[in-house]
Amino acid sequence: RRRGRPLASRPGRLSEGRLDLLATLKAALPWQNLRARAPATRIAIRRADIHIRRYRERKETLTIFAVDASGSTAAQRLAEAKGAVELLLADCYVRRDQVALVGFRKTEASLILPPTRSLVRAKRLLADMPAGGGTPLAAAIAATADLAQAAARSGVTPLMVFLTDGSANIARDGSADRARAEADARDTARRAAAHGHRALFIDVSTRERAATREIAALLGARHVALPRADARSVARAVGAEPARR
């Protein structure tokens, strides 16, 4: 790796990276009295003396918010999501992270905010995000997982954050069938978990449901109950999500 935070040099070959000249000379100098040198050679350097510069490159991260914009509490959840996204975006210039937003309501999930670091663009698109209708949770999981997989293929580390009460009532075929909707959500969660991407399931319902915890577990997501969630508590939950190596 040739960029990032500098680390201590290590012995190596010139083909492996950039030469650390100072470290190489320090390794060679103590042995000069024991080494045979040509008349015009001031310092005899051996292969074992060569030190290579090392760097730790921080991978770029994409945090994907999947926000439940359905039902009577949609306005509250949207306010939480908007505030959290804005708080996270404020640090993007320092952390080199991106944020995206998937909204789900009625019968589908759609990409409201493509991956961005632009706070101005985020605010404009968030302000126009619609609300109301059913909860197509399976569609939301599928859309978020697809976006995460696309990010991973481009070398970006994705984090999926679901902000919902977990009350799935719209199936993948668009029918208003709660039993089928929950079965579809479980099946989609299993398939999404196979990719191994980090996930966080923020449950904003006033009363926890076993089905919600089950879906989060199948997704491989950390379940966080925040019945009185606000922008800062959501941002703290996302910031506390440990990086997976």
Side-chain angles (χ1 to χ4, degrees), residues 63-67 76-88 101 159 161-164 200-204 222 224-241:
T63 302
I64 308 168
F65 282 90
V67 180
Q76 177 186 351
R77 282 196 295 267
L78 287 177
E80 295 157 4
K82 291 173 183 178
V85 170
E86 290 181 12
L87 287 173
L88 291 169
L101 180 66
L159 168 63
V161 179
F162 295 87
L163 189 67
T164 177
L200 180 65
F201 202 102
I202 300 177
D203 187 350
V204 296
R222 183 164 66 94
V224 178
L226 290 177
R228 295 178 179 83
D230 56 27
R232 291 194 177 277
S233 62
V234 172
R236 280 196 300 270
V238 175
E241 178 63 16

Side-chain angles (χ1 to χ4, degrees), residues 28-206:
L29 286 174
W31 304 98
Q32 295 305 301
N33 290 336
L34 302 177
R35 292 178 179 175
R37 298 194 301 271
T41 302
R42 294 189 177 185
I43 299 176
I45 295 177
R46 302 289 183 264
R47 181 178 297 178
D49 301 329
I50 301 297
H51 277 61
I52 303 300
R53 294 184 182 276
R54 294 192 302 153
Y55 302 89
R56 175 171 294 168
E57 185 176 358
R58 184 186 182 279
K59 281 194 173 182
E60 190 173 1
T61 299
L62 170 62
T63 302
I64 308 168
F65 282 90
V67 180
D68 186 348
S70 65
S72 58
T73 59
Q76 177 186 351
R77 282 196 295 267
L78 287 177
E80 295 157 4
K82 291 173 183 178
V85 170
E86 290 181 12
L87 287 173
L88 291 169
L89 276 172
D91 295 330
C92 278
Y93 292 104
V94 176
R95 298 185 301 153
R96 296 168 54 199
D97 291 348
Q98 298 183 60
V99 174
L101 180 66
V102 173
F104 58 102
R105 59 188 283 268
K106 291 187 176 180
T107 61
E108 62 182 14
S110 56
L111 181 61
I112 303 297
L113 178 67
T116 184
R117 295 189 192 93
S118 171
L119 184 57
V120 174
R121 184 185 183 199
K123 286 182 176 180
R124 183 175 67 251
L125 293 176
L126 286 168
D128 297 331
M129 186 173 175
T135 307
L137 184 57
I141 295 173
T144 305
D146 287 345
L147 184 57
Q149 189 65 1
R153 284 195 295 267
S154 65
V156 177
T157 301
L159 168 63
M160 302 182 292
V161 179
F162 295 87
L163 189 67
T164 177
D165 60 8
S167 182
N169 54 24
I170 302 295
R172 287 298 301 272
D173 62 4
S175 61
D177 185 327
R178 184 175 294 276
R180 182 184 292 182
E182 292 185 351
D184 285 350
R186 289 192 293 269
D187 181 59
T188 309
R190 287 190 194 96
R191 280 185 277 171
H195 297 306
H197 303 313
R198 291 183 297 150
L200 180 65
F201 202 102
I202 300 177
D203 187 350
V204 296
S205 62
T206 55

Side-chain angles (χ1 to χ4, degrees), residues 18-39:
R18 297 177 180 173
L19 174 69
D20 187 331
L21 181 59
L22 182 59
T24 299
L25 292 175
K26 285 182 176 180
L29 286 174
W31 304 98
Q32 295 305 301
N33 290 336
L34 302 177
R35 292 178 179 175
R37 298 194 301 271

